[in-house]
Amino acid sequence: MISGKFQLKTVRFSGGTSRGKGLGRQLIATALKRAWEIGMTRVELSVHANNTSAVALYRKMGFAEEGLARCVFLADGIYRDAIMMAMLRPADGLRVEGKELS
């Protein structure tokens, strides 16, 4: 059986009054809930390596770092690295390489 994965794309708040109000957390929680409801088994994302607040939020929500992709984003003529992160669906009996995940 082939299961699906969901790639979380752009979540961006440009400072101002949007910051610190939990909007990003709400959007991500809603996307995760929907992904699990439709049967996705994995949600993945990439985030600018220097965006420490976003990395902290994703960790707090249960995402794990899976690696660093070098020179992925180009902004203002400067290449920036990306941290690759993912979360597996929290489900009893999910097996990966012969191991049960809990």
Side-chain angles (χ1 to χ4, degrees), residues 6 8-13 18 21-35 43 57-58 61 63:
F6 179 85
L8 186 60
K9 288 298 192 180
T10 305
V11 176
R12 182 179 307 174
F13 293 101
S18 297
K21 299 203 177 197
L23 298 175
R25 179 184 310 280
Q26 288 177 327
L27 285 170
I28 295 162
T30 299
L32 287 170
K33 182 177 185 251
R34 184 65 181 138
V43 175
L57 172 62
Y58 298 138
M61 295 193 75
F63 283 88

Side-chain angles (χ1 to χ4, degrees), residues 42-101:
R42 176 182 170 87
V43 175
E44 56 189 40
L45 60 86
S46 61
V47 58
H48 285 245
N50 65 343
N51 189 344
T52 56
S53 59
V55 172
L57 172 62
Y58 298 138
R59 281 186 187 137
K60 189 179 273 191
M61 295 193 75
F63 283 88
E65 290 185 30
E66 294 191 329
L68 180 71
R70 295 175 50 209
C71 299
V72 173
F73 301 111
L74 177 63
D76 300 321
I78 300 170
Y79 282 97
R80 301 184 193 284
D81 296 343
I83 296 173
M84 313 308 286
M85 302 181 85
M87 181 190 297
L88 298 176
R89 181 179 67 206
D92 294 334
L94 183 62
R95 294 181 60 82
V96 177
E97 296 180 18
K99 297 178 184 178
E100 296 249 349
L101 297 179

